[in-house]
């Protein structure tokens, strides 16, 4: 009898598990999705394909222009005073269209204790669509350019409303350009990405939308860069400018440094270090980030 | 404080990458790094084995004279990489037009070529340099 060894990847405490057989791990041909490894990116905390906090123009999964693809993901961020759990997935069509959902849960025990709040978490649901407008990440001289829309619904508006947020839902628009330069960094492949986000979301929307200080949407630049050490390992960094709409609580820009492991077209694991600055009165929110993505 | 920490991490990353890339000399021509004509020929032989087993593209090679294809592709890469070859049918558009090769097939061929180079032990940096030279052929090969 043949015993099939299963490796289970688990992400606690959100209990997102993924079972991958060793045969899957050994073969990159396990699924007929034809784009090259890593070109589907990882999944951002808002559900769109990209890095950890900055979306890219890439379409999720590995489907080429005659194929479709899907992904499921779970991510976990832990800073001194906050934890964020995200689960979600995407479906993509012909390397043209990406539809994704993400459910976020932010746990804020320190804030609850400090302000004697009746709740200890805030959830948000994000539904996104992204369209590749023009270009190919690798094969065209110009970068791949995509436009994305993210509809965000804050499901626990009590605390965000109390600190001055105006709305419990909002829509971000993203314009991204991404290019992979083959051998572009000392013969290693170089990934460069820029995103312009039109938004009035506070802390991605977890603290609602708009505020007393500013209620208008603004254009926020976000950038990321990475180098592929080989076809399985990506090291990168991201910077995301943020709005600052509330006078009661200050919001800072975010940055990350991460390592992504893409053993095959089935799974991707990203581990990183994050600096979220000041979040809702708690300073220096640095910590770690872990994300797990399965592609189908 | 945190900015300093980030700076340290970023610097360490840059140094690491520099060390990795400096370990492989880049001054030699790509042709030499591929193992000259014999090396290229071996990669293409490997590629043909892989294509033959790859159902995404193998039907496209039905009836193709594989000896001719092997020599043609090897000569082309030899010339492209700076070797002493003269490849006559330089125009990728002429060779591929009329077949409407798809984006999926192009990705599959690149996937297969990377596998072939890995099997032949070609270092990552050398693989990337060759891929960078081949990628511009996309517009002449796909949907033509
Ligand atoms: C980077 C991409 C590609 C390059 C550089 C390339 C290069 C070449 C070259 C140089 C030849 C001529 C060989 C000779 O002289 O006989 C050739 C032939 C051929 N190519 Fe491509 N090719 C590419 C992509 C593709 C793709 C995506 C397909 C589709 C599956 C394809 C299918 C063929 C076929 C079937 C032939 C043989 C034609 C014949 O002899 O009748 N190629 N290719």
């Amino acid at each position: 009898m043949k015993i099939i060894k299963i490796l289970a990847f688990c992400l606690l405490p959100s209990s997102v598990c993924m079972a991958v057989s060793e045969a899957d791990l050994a073969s990159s041909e396990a699924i007929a999705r034809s784009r090259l490894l890593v070109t589907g990116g990882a999944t951002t905390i808002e559900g769109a394909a990209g890095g950890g906090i900055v979306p890219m123009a890439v379409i999720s999964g590995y489907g080429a222009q005659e194929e479709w693809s899907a992904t499921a993901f779970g991510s976990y961020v832990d800073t001194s005073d906050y934890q964020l759990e995200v689960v979600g997935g995407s479906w993509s069509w012909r390397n043209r269209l990406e539809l994704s959902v993400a459910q976020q849960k932010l746990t804020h025990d320190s804030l609850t204790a400090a302000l004697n709040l009746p709740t200890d978490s805030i959830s948000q649901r994000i539904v996104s669509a992204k369209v590749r407008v023009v270009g190919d990440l690798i094969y065209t001289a110009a970068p791949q350019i995509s436009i994305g829309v993210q509809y965000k619904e804050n499901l626990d508006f009590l605390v965000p409303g109390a600190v001055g947020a105006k709305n419990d839902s909002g829509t971000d628009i993203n314009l991204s350009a991404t290019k992979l330069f083959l051998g572009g960094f000392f013969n290693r492949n170089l990934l460069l990405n820029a995103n312009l986000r039109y938004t009035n979301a506070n802390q991605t929307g977890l603290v609602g939308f708009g505020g007393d200080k500013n209620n208008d949407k603004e254009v926020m630049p976000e950038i990321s860069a990475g180098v592929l050490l080989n076809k399985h390992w990506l090291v990168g960094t991201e910077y995301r400018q943020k709005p600052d709409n509330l006078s009661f609580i200050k919001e800072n820009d975010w940055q990350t440094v991460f390592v992504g492991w893409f053993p095959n077209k089935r799974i991707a694991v990203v581990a990183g270090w994050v600096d979220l600055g000041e979040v809702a009165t708690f300073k220096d929110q640095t910590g770690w980030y872990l994300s797990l993505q399965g592609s189908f | 404080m945190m900015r300093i920490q980030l700076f340290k991490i970023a610097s360490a990353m840059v140094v690491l990458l520099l060390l990795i890339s400096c370990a492989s000399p880049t001054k030699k021509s790509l042709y030499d790094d591929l193992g000259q004509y014999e090396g290229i020929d071996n990669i293409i032989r490997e590629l043909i084995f892989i294509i033959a087993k790859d159902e995404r593209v193998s039907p496209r090679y039905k009836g193709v004279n594989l000896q001719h294809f092997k020599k043609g592709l090897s000569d082309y890469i030899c010339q492209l990489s700076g070797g002493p070859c003269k490849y006559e049918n330089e125009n990728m558009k002429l060779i591929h037009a009329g077949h409407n090769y798809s984006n999926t097939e192009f990705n599959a061929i690149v996937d297969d070529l990377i596998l072939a180079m890995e099997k032949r032990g070609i270092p990552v940096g050398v693989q990337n340099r060759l891929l960078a030279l081949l990628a511009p052929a996309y517009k002449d090969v796909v949907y033509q």
Side-chain angles (χ1 to χ4, degrees), chain B residues 64-92:
Chain B
V64 168
N65 179 339
L66 290 178
Q67 280 309 316
H68 188 270
F69 172 72
K70 178 154 120 347
K71 177 156 192 316
L73 192 50
S74 299
D75 287 356
Y76 175 68
I77 290 176
C78 168
Q79 173 176 307
L80 207 60
S81 63
C85 306
K86 191 80 203 99
Y87 180 66
E88 304 299 335
N89 303 324
E90 253 177 275
N91 194 329
M92 287 297 109

Side-chain angles (χ1 to χ4, degrees), chain A residues 17-291:
Chain A
C17 286
M18 234 164 256
V20 181
S21 80
E22 273 196 351
D24 277 349
L25 272 180
S27 163
S28 61
E29 259 53 69
I31 45 171
R33 303 283 182 264
S34 297
R35 268 157 57 212
L36 302 184
L37 210 51
V38 188
T39 62
T43 310
T44 59
I45 52 167
E46 290 161 304
I53 57 169
V54 177
M56 296 186 193
V58 300
I59 299 296
S60 68
Y62 291 108
Q65 279 172 235
E66 285 73 25
E67 300 170 331
W68 61 271
S69 184
T71 63
F73 80 100
S75 299
Y76 189 68
V77 186
D78 191 12
T79 64
S80 341
D81 297 295
Y82 297 95
Q83 291 79 40
L84 177 69
E85 293 169 42
V86 196
V87 292
S90 78
W91 180 80
S92 56
W93 182 74
R94 289 177 171 256
N95 197 24
R96 176 66 66 190
L97 173 70
E98 170 191 307
L99 302 175
S100 63
V101 289
Q103 177 89 17
Q104 301 178 327
K105 184 182 175 207
L106 177 78
T107 306
H108 52 73
D109 293 327
S110 300
L111 191 68
T112 299
L115 303 182
N116 206 7
L117 298 172
T119 56
D120 65 356
S121 74
I122 300 173
S123 292
Q124 176 172 235
R125 187 175 303 138
I126 305 173
V127 179
S128 313
K130 187 200 289 178
V131 174
R132 181 177 62 85
V133 179
V134 71
D136 184 278
L137 178 68
I138 307 176
Y139 305 129
T140 56
Q144 177 163 328
I145 294 175
S146 296
I147 291 181
V149 179
Q150 305 194 296
Y151 176 72
K152 303 173 167 184
E153 213 180 339
N154 191 304
L155 305 173
D156 299 288
F157 194 61
L158 180 70
V159 174
V163 298
K166 299 282 189 210
N167 284 300
D168 65 356
S169 69
T171 304
D172 286 3
I173 298 173
N174 289 307
L175 175 66
S176 327
T178 315
K179 172 111 186 103
L180 184 81
F181 296 90
L182 290 164
F185 188 84
F186 297 95
N187 294 331
R188 293 301 184 278
N189 296 338
L190 174 68
L191 185 65
L192 293 183
N193 172 64
N195 181 54
L196 293 177
R197 184 188 297 265
Y198 186 58
T199 184
N200 66 349
N202 308 317
Q203 302 291 7
T204 80
L206 284 162
V207 191
F209 302 82
D212 56 326
K213 207 155 98 187
N214 171 53
N215 199 29
D216 295 331
K217 288 191 181 179
E218 301 167 285
V219 176
M220 293 287 143
E222 308 176 347
I223 52 170
S224 44
V227 171
L228 276 150
L229 301 181
N230 60 35
K231 73 176 186 181
H232 301 294
W233 290 91
L234 174 69
V235 290
T237 181
E238 303 168 288
Y239 191 92
R240 172 167 172 172
Q241 193 181 322
K242 309 269 294 314
D244 193 14
N245 299 332
L246 302 164
S247 49
F248 180 60
I249 52 173
K250 199 166 142 48
E251 179 165 351
N252 288 149
D253 296 350
W254 283 0
Q255 47 197 313
T256 71
V257 179
F258 65 85
V259 177
W261 180 50
F262 300 77
N264 57 44
K265 290 183 187 175
R266 274 272 190 238
I267 60 172
V269 183
V270 178
W273 177 84
V274 301
D275 180 355
L276 310 183
E278 181 173 330
V279 179
T281 73
F282 290 92
K283 291 197 164 60
D284 296 331
Q285 293 303 306
T286 59
W288 54 271
Y289 167 77
L290 188 65
S291 180

